[in-house]
């Protein structure tokens, strides 16, 4: 009899547990990797529920991966869900998650929350003759959405919040993390914010399941997951900028030029707005420790080499003091004690405390020599043998400090220096024995004012300077002026020929033959000698060279 009673009790126990075991749980639907005891390891998130709660599978069907019903969950293709967050988040701050739905091509959401076909858009099957993909407004107005006890509830049975316009929100978003879930109505996107005070440090996983309205039920259309990070270190990033540095991303900078360091703190929820923040710099060049409350600081390295940069950011965060831990009871004493009087210190619940948070940044910086400065010291017009009214040449004499450049580029633009007319780059191959002095020749088409940008560069540096150039107008040669010029040229040529003829005549007339001399007389030598002398008179040779010309800059 006792055995029968035990057997009957076991059957009753199994019968009582059968509905409980058959019911779907949130953790069974939202994640296949969590166990039922997963949530017990973490503190409760504000406004979230345990994934041990039951899931209404009749109203919100559950499809496994690869189920054929996923192919028909949306007209015209598949909906993609994109989940992003402003991670990493400092513990105690707020992290925000955003889900955006990407509909198939030619589909969009209208102002009423319905999904419609875009006008004049052709998909793979051509333009649609129907306006709506899903007309949920018509379903609600027809009476399918007026019974809040049936389909206007979340998967756990909680009713939808009846805020203004809630009937136009036709998607249900279920967020799941740390063994807890959060349900939300939305349209084509949804956003939630979570305080990280009770979130464990390190990487965590957020999963989102999206359902669409379907008459008296809901259809799953997308699932997405993303990793977010909660840290007790302030997320810090440093930007480094230096004038004339050719590549700002290689952490190679120039000697004797200041580098501007700017600290960026990732704090999208403005958790540190009321905090006192200090920046402690060690540039690794034996210049000491620099402490500042300004996120921007300039520093100049005066030696070449490799240096280790270290930055520590300290934030003093004000906040309520934690609840005092219970103290052990004092031993009973029959004699009064001084410690029992009201002078004993007690913690006030409204007392404010200070929490210190730190952030760290390290970098290895290489310092090299480069072009430090460039200047235009002189501009001169180039006289051309035949003046051309539509073309002018100008020489720019340029000096620089630092290393010798390997290339020079010129950009000629409009007076505002915005619209470029021409760009010319030339290699520099000038042996100037350590002196940077160049002459750059450039052409200008037409008169007017031009902006000239001269850039000298080498492998690591790029220095530039700009100036405005005014090119005067040149009058075009008229036919009469051209005729006068031709007549003057002919006249000069005639005078030149006449002078040579008279000179030759005088020399020839004064020459006498010696009757008794022996030898051969070569005819024509007198004329040749005279011509050579005439050439020497009118075209002197380059018998002398000015040694100062060797110091003139080369023309590029």
């Amino acid at each position: 009899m006792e055995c029968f009673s035990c057997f009957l009790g076991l059957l009753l126990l199994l019968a009582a547990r059968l509905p409980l075991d058959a019911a779907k749980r949130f953790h069974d639907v939202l994640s296949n990797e969590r166990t039922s005891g997963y949530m017990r390891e973490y503190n409760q998130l504000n406004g979230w529920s345990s994934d041990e709660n039951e899931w209404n599978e009749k109203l919100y069907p559950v499809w496994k991966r690869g189920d054929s019903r996923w192919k028909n969950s949306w007209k015209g293709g598949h909906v993609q869900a994109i989940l992003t967050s402003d991670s990493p988040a400092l513990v105690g701050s707020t992290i925000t998650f955003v889900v955006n739905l990407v509909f198939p091509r030619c589909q969009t959401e209208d102002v009423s929350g319905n999904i419609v076909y875009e006008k004049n858009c052709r998909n793979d099957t051509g333009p649609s003759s129907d306006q709506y993909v899903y007309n949920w407004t018509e379903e609600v107005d027809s009476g399918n959405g007026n019974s809040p006890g049936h389909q206007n509830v979340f998967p756990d049975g909680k009713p939808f919040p009846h805020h203004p316009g809630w009937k136009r929100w036709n998607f249900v978003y279920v967020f799941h993390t740390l063994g807890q879930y959060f349900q939300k109505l939305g349209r084509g996107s949804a956003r939630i914010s979570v305080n990280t005070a009770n979130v464990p440090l390190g990487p965590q996983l957020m999963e989102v399941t999206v359902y669409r309205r379907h008459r008296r039920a809901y259809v799953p259309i997308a699932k997405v997951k993303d990793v977010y990070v909660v840290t007790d270190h302030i997320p810090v990033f440093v930007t480094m900028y230096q004038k004339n540095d050719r590549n700002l991303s290689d952490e190679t900078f120039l000697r004797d030029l200041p580098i501007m360091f700017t600290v960026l703190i990732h704090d999208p929820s403005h958790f540190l707005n009321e905090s006192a923040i200090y920046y402690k710099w060690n540039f690794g060049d034996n210049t000491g420790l620099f402490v500042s409350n300004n996120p921007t600081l300039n520093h100049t390295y005066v030696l070449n080499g490799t240096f280790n940069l270290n930055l520590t950011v300290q934030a003093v965060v004000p906040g309520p003091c934690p609840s005092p831990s219970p103290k052990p009871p004092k031993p009973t004493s029959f004699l009064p004690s001084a410690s029992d009087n009201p002078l004993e210190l007690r913690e006030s619940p409204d007392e404010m405390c200070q929490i210190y948070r730190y952030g760290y940044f390290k970098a290895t910086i290489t310092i090299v020599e480069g072009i430090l400065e460039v200047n235009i010291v002189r501009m001169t017009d180039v006289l051309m043998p035949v003046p051309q009214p539509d073309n002018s040449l100008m020489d720019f004499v340029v000096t620089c400090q630092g290393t010798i450049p390997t290339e020079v580029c010129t950009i000629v633009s409009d007076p505002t220096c915005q619209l470029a007319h021409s760009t010319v780059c030339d290699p520099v191959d000038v042996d100037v024995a350590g002196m940077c002095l160049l002459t750059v020749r450039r052409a200008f088409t037409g008169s007017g004012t031009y902006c000239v940008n001269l850039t000298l560069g080498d492998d690591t540096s790029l220095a530039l300077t700009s100036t405005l150039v005014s090119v005067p107008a040149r009058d075009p040669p008229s036919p009469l002026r051209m005729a006068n010029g031709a007549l003057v040229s002919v006249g000069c040529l005639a005078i030149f020929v006449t002078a040579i003829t008279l000179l030759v005549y005088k020399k020839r007339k004064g020459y006498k033959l010696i009757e008794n001399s022996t030898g051969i007389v070569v005819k024509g030598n007198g004329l040749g000698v005279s011509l050579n002398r005439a050439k020497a008179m009118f075209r002197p040779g380059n018998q002398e060279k000015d040694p100062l010309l060797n110091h003139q800059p080369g023309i590029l």
Side-chain angles (χ1 to χ4, degrees):
M1 188 67 180
E2 292 180 358
C3 294
F4 178 77
S5 299
C6 293
F7 181 72
L8 182 60
L10 180 61
L11 289 178
L12 292 175
L13 179 62
L14 291 177
R17 292 195 56 187
L18 188 60
L20 183 64
D21 294 338
K24 281 284 185 180
R25 304 287 180 179
F26 269 76
H27 60 75
D28 296 329
V29 175
L30 300 178
S31 178
N32 297 325
E33 302 174 359
R34 307 304 188 204
T35 61
S36 59
Y38 179 77
M39 183 260 175
R40 299 190 186 98
E41 302 176 10
Y42 304 104
N43 296 325
Q44 183 72 28
L45 299 178
N46 186 24
W48 290 56
S49 304
S50 169
D51 62 4
E52 293 288 334
N53 293 344
E54 293 185 7
W55 177 282
N56 187 345
E57 189 177 3
K58 182 178 180 181
L59 189 60
Y60 291 86
V62 178
W63 300 340
K64 295 182 179 181
R65 185 185 302 271
D67 194 310
S68 60
R69 288 174 291 183
W70 281 102
K71 297 181 180 180
N72 300 321
S73 64
W74 191 270
K75 296 179 183 178
H78 295 282
V79 175
Q80 182 182 4
I82 299 177
L83 173 63
T84 58
S85 70
D86 52 15
S87 169
L90 183 63
V91 62
S93 67
T94 299
I95 185 170
T96 299
F97 299 89
V98 178
V99 182
N100 289 303
L101 299 181
V102 180
F103 304 110
R105 190 173 183 274
C106 297
Q107 297 183 14
T108 187
E109 187 178 33
D110 67 5
V111 294
S112 299
N114 298 310
I115 308 300
V116 298
Y117 290 103
E118 295 180 355
K119 295 181 179 179
N120 303 324
C121 181
R122 298 178 61 89
N123 54 17
D124 296 338
T125 60
S128 176
S129 58
D130 191 3
Q131 177 184 357
Y132 291 98
V133 182
Y134 292 105
N135 188 355
W136 288 305
T137 303
E138 184 177 307
E139 292 184 9
V140 173
D141 293 341
S142 64
N144 292 337
N146 295 328
S147 51
H150 291 276
Q151 75 272 14
N152 292 331
V153 295
F154 287 112
D156 62 358
K158 294 180 180 179
F160 290 163
H162 289 187
H163 51 72
W166 70 274
K167 293 183 179 180
R168 297 182 178 180
W169 293 14
N170 300 290
F171 297 98
V172 176
Y173 297 83
V174 184
F175 295 81
H176 183 229
T177 188
L178 302 175
Q180 302 166 64
Y181 68 89
F182 184 84
Q183 307 165 127
K184 183 179 179 65
L185 278 179
R187 297 182 60 172
S189 65
R191 175 190 300 262
I192 65 167
S193 296
V194 180
N195 187 279
T196 60
N198 292 331
V199 177
L201 300 180
Q204 307 295 341
L205 185 66
M206 175 66 75
E207 302 169 288
V208 183
T209 302
V210 187
Y211 282 76
R212 70 168 173 87
R213 184 189 298 275
H214 180 64
R215 298 176 183 172
R216 294 185 176 273
Y218 293 86
V219 175
I221 59 172
K223 287 186 176 182
V224 64
K225 61 180 65 177
D226 191 28
V227 175
Y228 64 97
V229 177
V230 177
T231 176
D232 58 352
H233 287 171
I234 302 173
V236 173
F237 181 74
V238 177
T239 62
M240 294 172 276
Y241 171 79
Q242 185 186 44
K243 179 184 176 182
N244 297 353
D245 184 21
R246 188 157 196 162
N247 187 354
L248 294 175
S249 62
D250 61 356
E251 297 186 347
T252 298
F253 299 94
L254 309 179
R255 190 186 72 183
D256 297 328
L257 280 182
I259 306 173
M260 184 174 68
F261 299 90
T262 302
V263 184
L264 304 176
I265 295 179
H266 181 73
D267 184 28
S269 65
H270 309 293
F271 176 67
L272 300 176
N273 271 13
E274 304 299 326
S275 304
I277 302 178
Y278 301 94
Y279 307 90
K280 302 178 182 180
W281 298 89
N282 187 342
F283 294 99
D285 56 353
N286 296 325
T287 55
L289 183 67
F290 296 86
V291 180
S292 171
N293 58 1
N294 193 324
T296 300
L297 185 68
N298 291 339
H299 184 74
T300 302
Y301 288 88
V302 297
L303 296 175
N304 292 347
T306 301
F307 304 91
N308 295 320
L309 168 69
N310 286 275
L311 168 67
T312 300
V313 179
Q314 175 186 286
V316 183
V317 185
C321 294
S323 301
S325 57
K327 296 181 180 180
K330 297 178 181 180
T332 304
S333 176
F334 296 100
L335 297 177
S337 172
S339 61
D340 295 333
N341 60 30
L343 296 177
E344 181 180 358
L345 297 179
R346 298 184 179 181
E347 298 187 23
S348 172
D350 297 331
E351 184 180 358
M352 297 297 290
C353 291
Q354 291 180 341
I355 302 174
Y356 290 86
R357 298 295 183 191
Y358 297 91
Y360 305 95
F361 177 83
K362 296 181 179 181
T364 301
I365 295 178
T366 302
I367 304 299
V368 298
E369 295 184 356
I371 305 172
L372 305 181
E373 187 177 352
V374 57
N375 292 294
I376 299 174
V377 297
R378 188 169 67 251
M379 297 182 295
T380 57
D381 291 329
V382 179
L383 298 179
M384 292 181 289
V386 180
Q388 300 180 7
D390 295 333
N391 198 1
S392 299
L393 294 179
M394 185 170 290
D395 283 346
F396 298 87
V397 180
V398 182
T399 62
C400 65
Q401 297 180 9
T403 59
I404 304 301
T406 58
E407 66 174 357
V408 55
C409 291
T410 308
I411 300 177
V412 179
S413 57
D414 67 327
T416 64
C417 302
Q418 300 295 323
L419 181 60
H421 297 327
S422 63
T423 302
V424 179
C425 292
D426 293 310
V428 176
D429 188 15
V430 180
D431 186 10
V432 292
M435 181 179 64
C436 179
L437 182 63
L438 304 174
T439 297
V440 181
R441 177 170 293 178
R442 289 295 178 257
F444 298 88
T445 302
S447 61
T449 302
Y450 297 89
C451 175
V452 178
N453 185 316
L454 282 171
T455 304
L456 305 182
D458 59 9
D459 292 338
T460 59
S461 58
L462 205 64
L464 61 89
T465 184
S466 298
T467 186
L468 290 177
V469 175
S470 180
V471 178
R474 299 178 183 269
D475 296 333
S478 62
L480 179 59
R481 183 176 299 178
M482 294 177 63
N484 292 336
L487 292 176
V488 172
S489 300
V490 172
C492 293
L493 181 60
I495 295 173
F496 176 74
V497 173
T498 303
I500 292 181
T501 304
L502 291 175
L503 182 62
V504 172
Y505 173 76
K506 289 181 180 181
K507 294 292 183 180
R508 181 66 176 175
K509 184 177 181 181
Y511 178 77
K512 292 184 180 180
L513 290 175
I514 302 177
E515 299 290 341
N516 298 328
S517 64
T518 61
I520 301 174
V521 178
V522 180
K523 296 181 179 180
N525 279 349
L527 180 59
V529 172
S530 300
L531 288 174
N532 289 335
R533 290 178 179 176
K535 292 179 181 179
M537 292 174 60
F538 288 96
R539 295 178 57 188
N542 296 330
Q543 287 86 2
E544 297 182 0
K545 293 184 178 179
D546 185 358
L548 295 178
L549 296 178
N550 294 332
H551 297 281
Q552 295 295 325
I555 299 177
L556 300 177

